[in-house]
């Protein structure tokens, strides 16, 4: 289960839903709370998060750890877990991890079906970003100018997108992030040469991590892609959409 707003189910709540650890700091706090009526136990692990071949990869790491790694939370109580960076911050590029939060067997609050002896155990995944130092220069997506005094939009010039044909009616959108920090995409749409809009990912699309490449299948005919048009999306916390830089199409 990927946390997207204060994550909760069966009494377990996790806040915040993502963590940034500045280069000059060694740790950040997160909180697990129990809004249920029974005691629960949970384990917090940290895994390195990378993207390879268009897929997400998680691996064990000792660069960042959770303290304590196992908690027991009484009904109505809240437990702080500190996420501690053991390695120096990266000089030039953000490092990325995920907290894997598992409800442990034996939790009194675990959901149990009618059949005795079975439990449904919960898992949450929370992104953690160790930020590059200020000496690394501009971030991957520094603020771009915005009209009317509004908040500046993310600068997408360090993103490079291309379309890869997989057959007559199948294609893949490939996005490379050449910057020093991640970018989050949502509400991706294609606007064809005639201005007709086709929503492809109406909600959160996903992340492209710093210096890495991610890909997504597109549910639209190649004939539409070949005819021109542009991809529009929202980046990070922008309220306005921008055009995704496209370097190649079928």
């Amino acid at each position: 289960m990927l946390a997207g707003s204060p994550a909760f189910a069966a009494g377990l709540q996790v806040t915040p839903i993502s963590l940034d650890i500045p280069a000059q700091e060694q740790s950040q706090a997160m909180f697990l709370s129990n809004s249920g009526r029974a005691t629960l136990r949970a384990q917090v692990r940290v895994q390195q998060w990378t993207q390879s071949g268009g897929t997400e990869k998680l691996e064990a790491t000792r660069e960042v750890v959770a303290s304590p790694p196992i908690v027991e939370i009484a009904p109505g109580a809240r437990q702080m877990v500190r996420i501690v960076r053991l390695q120096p911050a990266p000089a030039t590029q953000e490092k990325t991890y995920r907290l894997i939060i598992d409800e442990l067997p034996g939790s009194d609050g675990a959901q149990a079906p009618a059949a005795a002896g079975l439990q449904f155990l919960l898992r949450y995944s929370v992104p953690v970003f160790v930020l590059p130092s200020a000496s690394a220069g501009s971030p991957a997506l520094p603020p771009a100018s915005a009209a009317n005094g509004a908040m500046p939009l993310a600068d997408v010039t360090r993103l490079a997108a291309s379309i890869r044909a997989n057959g007559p009616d199948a294609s893949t959108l490939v996005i490379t992030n050449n910057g020093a920090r991640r970018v989050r995409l949502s509400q991706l749409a294609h606007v064809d040469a005639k201005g007709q809009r086709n929503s492809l990912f109406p909600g959160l699309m996903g992340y492209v991590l710093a210096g890495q490449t991610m890909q997504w299948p597109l549910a639209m005919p190649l004939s539409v892609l070949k005819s021109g048009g542009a991809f529009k999306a929202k980046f990070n916390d922008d309220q306005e959409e921008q055009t995704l830089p496209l370097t190649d199409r079928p």
Side-chain angles (χ1 to χ4, degrees), residues 227-247:
S227 65
F231 288 94
K232 303 283 188 177
K234 291 185 178 180
F235 300 90
N236 295 343
D237 296 320
D238 290 351
Q239 297 301 307
E240 299 178 28
E241 67 180 13
Q242 296 189 72
T243 299
L244 179 67
L246 191 62
T247 60

Side-chain angles (χ1 to χ4, degrees), residues 61-197:
T61 182
R62 290 294 298 172
E63 296 178 350
V64 178
V65 298
S67 178
I70 297 179
V71 297
E72 182 171 295
I73 311 172
R78 185 172 77 156
Q79 171 73 50
M80 183 181 76
V81 177
R82 190 158 290 279
I83 309 305
V84 182
R85 175 170 58 84
L86 301 181
Q87 299 292 328
T92 59
Q93 186 169 284
E94 181 177 74
K95 298 199 72 173
T96 49
Y97 306 87
R98 278 193 175 271
L99 302 181
I100 308 301
I101 304 163
D102 289 302
E103 184 181 12
L104 295 177
S107 294
D108 295 338
Q111 299 180 50
L118 297 178
Q119 288 183 322
F120 295 115
L121 300 176
L122 301 170
R123 167 173 288 186
Y124 297 102
S125 177
V126 175
V128 176
F129 305 99
V130 177
L131 307 184
S133 62
S135 61
S138 300
L141 296 176
S145 60
N148 303 322
M151 290 294 293
L153 300 176
D155 183 350
V156 299
T157 58
R158 300 196 188 184
L159 297 180
S162 62
I163 305 297
R164 186 178 66 206
N166 300 327
D169 295 309
S171 59
T172 300
L173 174 63
V174 181
I175 304 177
T176 298
N177 180 358
N178 295 307
R181 294 185 62 181
R182 82 282 187 179
V183 58
R184 186 179 70 250
L185 294 91
S186 60
Q187 300 183 36
L188 180 73
H190 181 262
V191 181
D192 66 19
K194 297 181 180 179
Q196 183 172 350
R197 186 181 186 89

Side-chain angles (χ1 to χ4, degrees), residues 13-74:
Q13 300 185 16
V14 180
T15 56
I17 59 172
S18 68
L19 282 177
D20 282 1
I21 304 180
Q24 69 274 17
E25 296 184 14
Q26 290 298 117
S27 67
Q28 289 287 299
M30 69 172 299
F31 296 89
L32 306 183
S33 56
N34 182 2
S35 63
R37 299 180 178 178
T39 298
L40 62 82
R41 297 172 65 245
Q43 180 182 43
V44 183
R45 294 173 294 138
V46 184
Q47 296 191 325
Q48 187 174 27
W49 174 26
T50 58
Q51 294 169 334
S52 176
T55 61
E56 312 246 292
K57 186 177 182 181
L58 297 178
E59 296 180 293
T61 182
R62 290 294 298 172
E63 296 178 350
V64 178
V65 298
S67 178
I70 297 179
V71 297
E72 182 171 295
I73 311 172

